[in-house]
Amino acid sequence: GTETIAFPNAQTYLHHRKLLGFPEDSTLIQRILPKGFYWRAEKLPHVHWNLKTAYPPAEVTFKNSREFLEHRAKHGMPLDGSDVKVVKGCYWGKNGEATIWWAEDGKVGTETYAFPNPEEYMEHRRLLGFPLDFSLIERI
């Protein structure tokens, strides 16, 4: 197996390398990047990435599938995209009423959160990667 060693400082690290016959520098180091968390809104094609398993806002939004696959390869993730979490929420409103709701479960009619003003509504859309407009709102 592989042994992991944490060095308290650079001097100890360089001494360790010298004892093992390696150059006293940072060559041959394998950098391990965090896997993070991939997600997307159910009604949108963009995939996002966050270091922690919370969303939104997105720390990275991929412009295309090439960027997405390169990021996954660099972070040691499988290239099939099978672990992309889908956020199922939806925006909805009642016919004849101005209030827009967010339904966390993705079911029109679920009153999870009512936006008190257009600014909060737009900020919520921005965080999830939705267009900053009044599209994709279901009406009942």
Side-chain angles (χ1 to χ4, degrees):
T2 302
E3 182 181 350
T4 302
I5 301 171
F7 298 98
N9 55 50
Q11 183 180 2
T12 306
Y13 163 73
L14 295 174
H15 178 68
H16 174 82
R17 286 182 63 92
K18 182 178 181 181
L19 290 174
L20 294 176
F22 290 105
E24 293 181 58
D25 58 20
S26 61
T27 58
L28 305 173
I29 293 177
Q30 180 181 6
R31 300 211 187 307
I32 300 172
L33 296 172
K35 293 189 185 316
F37 178 76
Y38 295 90
W39 62 278
R40 71 175 183 82
E42 183 177 43
K43 297 182 186 249
L44 298 175
H46 308 320
V47 175
H48 310 283
W49 179 83
N50 288 52
L51 178 59
K52 305 229 187 276
T53 57
Y55 58 88
E59 292 177 37
V60 175
T61 298
F62 302 102
K63 295 178 189 129
N64 54 50
S65 58
R66 183 183 58 76
E67 269 188 13
F68 171 66
L69 293 174
E70 284 175 358
H71 189 273
R72 289 180 69 82
K74 189 166 40 169
H75 286 257
M77 300 294 288
L79 300 182
D80 63 4
S82 59
D83 61 346
V84 176
K85 167 84 173 151
V86 177
V87 179
K88 294 192 178 279
C90 71
Y91 297 100
W92 69 276
K94 296 176 183 173
N95 286 325
E97 293 184 15
T99 302
I100 303 296
W101 291 86
W102 172 253
E104 188 73 32
D105 61 6
K107 297 177 183 171
V108 173
T110 301
E111 297 180 352
T112 304
Y113 182 76
F115 297 97
N117 56 56
E119 292 78 23
E120 272 196 43
Y121 164 77
M122 290 297 177
E123 178 63 6
H124 189 267
R125 289 179 72 94
R126 184 188 69 76
L127 292 173
L128 285 175
F130 277 80
L132 300 180
D133 57 23
F134 291 89
S135 65
L136 300 170
I137 298 173
E138 303 287 334
R139 291 282 174 185
I140 58 171

